[in-house]
Amino acid sequence: MEPIAGELGERFAASGHELAVVGGPVRDALLGRPVHDFDLTTDAVPSRILELVEGWADTVWTVGIDFGTVGLRKGGHQLEITTYRSEAYHPKSRKPEVSYGDSLYEDLVRRDFSVNAMAVRLPGQEFVDPFGGLTDLAESTLRTPGKPEDSFSDDPLRIMRAVRFAAQLGFTLAPEVREAAAGMADRLTIVSAERVRDELSKLMLSPEPRRGVELMVELGLARHVLPEIPKLRLEIDEHHRHKDVYEHSLTVLDQAIELEERRGMQPDLVLRLAALLHDIGKPKTRSFGEGGRVTFHHHEVVGASMSKNRLSALRFPKDVVADVSKLVALHLRFHGYGKGEWTDSAVRRYARDAGPLLQRLHVLTRADCTTRNRRKAAALARAYDDIERRIERLAEEEELNKLRPDLDGNEIQQILGVGPGPLVGKAWRFLLELRLENGPMGKEAATEELRRWAAEHVE
């Protein structure tokens, strides 16, 4: 942060105030992880912070000032300065009550975990670690500065944050933290859906989301966040043998992440959520046939609806909800491909229905193969290689992602001698179906087909 840290520290010290870098930036610097944004804490109240950075910061914003936070940008760095504080939830409140403190120790003792309760005083760069955070960091262990029950009572979202850090940093939870998290999981219900969603998103985008999901299930958090996931652990007995859907879903998530990396994709929240949720419709659609045969008819349709409802309840953006539910609805479509007997029109429909989600659907469908039968797995991989090649060829030939009928709306009106209205839309859809079935026809052939259709459908 130098010279910015030194300048800002001197500025606060000259006015008789303390300032320290705290929390995540200190932790990440010690781990050798890149640090882009900086959190600082001070004994100065927000109004005083604004006075001290006036004329020095390039930009200042106050959206978090009610919680004691002033944001600013200086020389390409983004900083947030927060007054020493403690915050706590009342038993039935969804909003924390914030009060200001007057010492760095008081601020650190109320933080979530010891690895986030380390600080560096400015401008002298004195390292402050009153709760053994450095030792816990070296041991990859999450502990709380005080009693975990007190920490989780102050802010129940910290229970979710614990499993997120496990997934993000590869940490384990100290026994007393695990016990408190499991015993207080119900407290998550008072936290706003938006805050839970943000932690879940970070967990899903972490290097090991499976680790976080498993912890959520083990500790009982999933009942309040993604209750459909623990229900995937369908019982298996000698009469009703079938795949463990919970384990399968986690394996699909792992394999989707591997394919992301192999294809040079960035961590993809939509894809990862779809991989985790793709089979959540199975418990509701499970039925038993002769000989104990298990079926899950239309589980993709039911699962798409369930995904939409769950992600909406968690206040995910509408585009994320729509994209995840669509991938869940489409994830079985490829299995009708068989040995490549689909016509070009069927391949066009497959690509058209996926639309901008096509590449994600490719990854999800490949990841969904978890069979231990090597011959079957190899056959599925060959079939998907084939359909991807065919889609690519058709795309090159026909610009598949820009499919349009050979005649536009104005031309349809002119040929039929009609004005704008429902008839034009019906004719356009008819021509689009012809385009999907036959490929490019040209305007002359399309005109003949349009007139033939109109003779049968226009009174």
Side-chain angles (χ1 to χ4, degrees), residues 138-154:
E139 296 175 352
S140 297
T141 301
L142 281 182
R143 301 182 194 277
T144 52
K147 293 174 61 178
E149 293 83 0
D150 293 340
S151 180
F152 295 157
S153 180
D154 284 350

Side-chain angles (χ1 to χ4, degrees), residues 415-432:
I415 292 167
L416 298 183
V418 299
L423 179 63
V424 178
K426 291 179 181 178
W428 190 91
R429 287 189 290 274
F430 164 72
L431 291 173
L432 178 60

Side-chain angles (χ1 to χ4, degrees), residues 66-67 87-98 153-156 187 190-192 194-195:
D66 289 344
F67 295 97
E87 60 181 44
Y89 279 82
H90 290 297
K92 297 183 179 180
S93 171
R94 283 181 174 267
K95 293 184 179 180
E97 181 178 293
V98 178
S153 180
D154 284 350
D155 185 354
R187 288 276 288 158
I190 73 166
V191 181
S192 70
E194 290 82 0
R195 296 186 72 211

Side-chain angles (χ1 to χ4, degrees), residues 1-2 5-6 19 21 119-128:
M1 287 181 65
E2 293 292 0
L19 185 69
V21 187
V120 177
R121 290 186 183 274
L122 300 176
Q125 298 191 6
E126 173 196 353
F127 180 58
V128 181

Side-chain angles (χ1 to χ4, degrees), residues 56-110:
W56 179 83
D58 298 331
T59 309
V60 176
W61 57 92
T62 59
V63 291
I65 201 163
D66 289 344
F67 295 97
T69 299
V70 173
L72 59 94
R73 183 172 284 107
K74 174 71 173 180
H77 289 290
Q78 184 167 307
L79 303 88
E80 287 192 344
I81 308 175
T82 302
T83 305
Y84 293 154
R85 69 183 185 184
S86 61
E87 60 181 44
Y89 279 82
H90 290 297
K92 297 183 179 180
S93 171
R94 283 181 174 267
K95 293 184 179 180
E97 181 178 293
V98 178
S99 59
Y100 297 139
D102 55 15
S103 74
L104 179 59
Y105 178 90
E106 183 182 349
D107 183 85
L108 296 179
V109 76
R110 301 307 295 267

